[in-house]
Amino acid sequence: MLFLARMDVRFPESMDAQTKADFQAQEKSYSADLQRRGLMKGIWRVVGEYANYSIYDVDGHDELHAIFQGFPMFPYMKVQVTPLAQHPNATADEFFAPPST
């Protein structure tokens, strides 16, 4: 199942710069692992905002929720999820191809 997720991050104003940097480093590592495993198909930043759009290819809602909860910055995120279905006019591409083994 494919899902489009928008994540907006809001750190508390009281959070110090080193703590933010630590969260960002952990987040980068977690995101990279999701991409290597084929669960996150892509990620794009939103210009001018501390936000991103990403596409997930997972078995269902519970798996997606568990993935979100695994993000180190999850407590500081607002997440909006849109389920996706292949459009009949779409050409075959990597989003719809089976994962490589």
Side-chain angles (χ1 to χ4, degrees):
M1 299 175 75
L2 291 177
F3 296 91
L4 174 68
R6 178 184 167 120
M7 297 179 181
D8 293 85
V9 179
R10 291 233 169 106
F11 287 121
E13 290 184 25
S14 60
M15 186 179 287
D16 65 87
Q18 184 58 52
T19 301
K20 284 181 191 177
D22 290 344
F23 271 117
Q24 290 165 332
Q26 293 170 34
E27 194 83 1
K28 183 176 184 177
S29 175
Y30 184 73
S31 174
D33 180 60
L34 292 173
Q35 290 173 70
R36 277 192 298 276
R37 294 170 42 207
L39 299 171
M40 182 189 290
K41 301 296 270 183
I43 184 169
W44 298 264
R45 85 173 87 196
V46 178
V47 176
E49 299 179 38
Y50 198 165
N52 72 72
Y53 282 101
S54 46
I55 294 179
Y56 295 86
D57 188 358
V58 296
D59 291 331
H61 304 112
D62 292 332
E63 181 182 13
L64 184 62
H65 188 71
I67 287 169
F68 291 155
Q69 286 182 311
F71 277 102
M73 294 192 293
F74 181 73
Y76 310 106
M77 290 179 173
K78 175 184 172 190
V79 182
Q80 297 174 313
V81 178
T82 304
L84 300 174
Q86 186 172 5
H87 193 283
N89 295 342
T91 59
D93 63 24
E94 69 274 4
F95 287 108
F96 303 106
S100 59
T101 55

